[in-house]
Amino acid sequence: MKMSLNIQILLGALFGVLVGLYLQQTGLETATASAGLYGARLIGTLFIDLLKMILIPLVFCSIVVGIANLRQHQQMHKVWVTTLIFFMLTMAIAMIVGMTASNYFKPGTGLAVSIFEGAMQNFQSKQMPLPDFFAHFLHHLFVNPFQALAEGKVLSVVIFALFLGIALVVGGERYQNILVLLEEALAVTMRIVNWIMYLAPYGIAALLIKLVATQDVAMLGTMAQFVAVVAGTLLFHGTVMLPLILFLLTGKSPLWFWQGARQALITAFATSSSSATLPITMRCATEQLGVKPEIAGFVIPLGATMNMDGTALYEAAAALFIANLVGVDLSFSQQLIVFLTSMLASVGAPGIPSAGMVTMVLVLQAVGLPAEAIAILLPVDRMLDTLRTTVNVEGDMTASLVVQKIVS
Ligand code: ASP
């Protein structure tokens, strides 16, 4: 009997974690272990390369076609507004969950900042004043489309595709051929995504072997309280809040959602990249969760770059952790600044591994915390990135279902 792809992916993930733990225990010095790790790196990177290869054509075609088809249904305005409101609301809820738990458990208060001094001294933080960050973000919206396509700038591609989609609609019959061409291109791109999916079980196993085998377990122990608060609240948001929101707004059960979404969720966990996962997220949304391509084609690529519940939660919780560590008591209004800047920083973070940690500088600077302190997060960031990326991708699929329900 042939195993379904879902089962293969689950087994691949399990295998990856177990082999990674084994290598972690036995050490990476032996010839077999280093050969194994080399193989895992190679296969994992190839899998991500394949996803990134198809990402830009997919985003481009799906947004243009999505927008063009939405306008035909006179729904575009409603979809836009609902999508953006839903993104902001769920990010806000995630941050409230993370900040409440951080205020309650106060991770970092018992730790001596001196153990991190070496790391902080060696770390060159980039200054990121709020106005500069904002200007930088805006300048990345409108980019020569050929440059954006060639350099894989997802957000800039999304914006150009939006313009093109709207232009095609406004032009109507006149540009029908271009629309048909892009519809065909989208279909053929999805066919390639389906091929790449056959490699997903191996790619995921390889990525997880590498991730688990190279984890700094001692550091995870030192920062256990912070890791527990972030992981616990991410899990709470992902398994309670988002499913509850989905159920209340669409009547869909969490189990049904998980069954349809699991390929994308596991890939997000293994790759720690919403962008690399995007082709699979699109596939799950349209083929398994029944989201219409014109809704998914708009909500999911936009969500992969803007809607990051997990990242927003992490940035807010990490800022409070660092404040505790350096002994700064943040007032209510300062926490409000953390809340607002974390939202901005997560919207501005690209969907790639550890992006959230980099844009966190913005949050720290806004409340006068030392930017070098993000060096403290380095050893645990990669591990926590798995969970927050999974929550980010879950948020995107939830958004596509909710928007579909609200506009239909
Ligand atoms: N890795 C995350 C993502 O791709 C972003 C982050 O670093 O939080 O969604």
Side-chain angles (χ1 to χ4, degrees), residues 271-276 304 307-308 310-312 314-315 346 349-358 381 385-386 388-390 392-393:
T271 59
S272 288
S273 168
S274 308
S275 293
N307 180 38
M308 299 200 176
T311 303
Y314 174 74
E315 301 212 3
S346 55
I352 56 175
S354 290
M357 195 192 68
V358 178
D381 183 73
D385 201 2
T386 55
R388 62 178 196 256
T389 310
T390 312
N392 289 345
V393 168

Side-chain angles (χ1 to χ4, degrees), residues 147-271:
Q147 183 191 349
L149 290 166
E151 292 176 1
K153 292 185 170 143
V154 183
L155 190 59
S156 324
V157 172
V158 168
I159 300 291
F160 179 72
L162 286 175
F163 276 114
L164 188 62
I166 295 170
L168 290 185
V169 177
V170 175
E173 277 301 303
R174 168 93 176 69
Y175 304 126
Q176 194 58 27
N177 289 346
I178 300 181
L179 183 56
V180 172
L181 178 73
L182 288 173
E183 274 170 349
E184 294 292 310
L186 176 60
V188 88
T189 318
M190 281 313 278
R191 188 178 289 257
I192 299 176
V193 174
N194 287 344
W195 292 342
I196 297 174
M197 284 311 288
Y198 288 118
L199 295 177
Y202 310 99
I204 287 169
L207 287 167
L208 287 174
I209 291 176
K210 188 185 99 189
L211 181 72
V212 177
T214 53
Q215 252 324 291
D216 183 347
V217 184
M219 215 48 190
L220 275 180
T222 315
M223 295 174 64
Q225 222 195 349
F226 169 65
V227 172
V229 167
V230 173
T233 45
L234 282 172
L235 282 174
F236 178 75
H237 187 72
T239 57
V240 179
M241 297 310 281
L242 282 176
L244 190 68
I245 294 171
L246 181 70
F247 180 72
L248 292 177
L249 295 179
T250 69
K252 303 284 189 199
S253 87
L255 207 65
W256 170 86
F257 176 77
W258 156 246
Q259 275 173 350
R262 61 189 155 181
Q263 291 180 358
L265 298 180
I266 295 173
T267 310
F269 186 88
T271 59

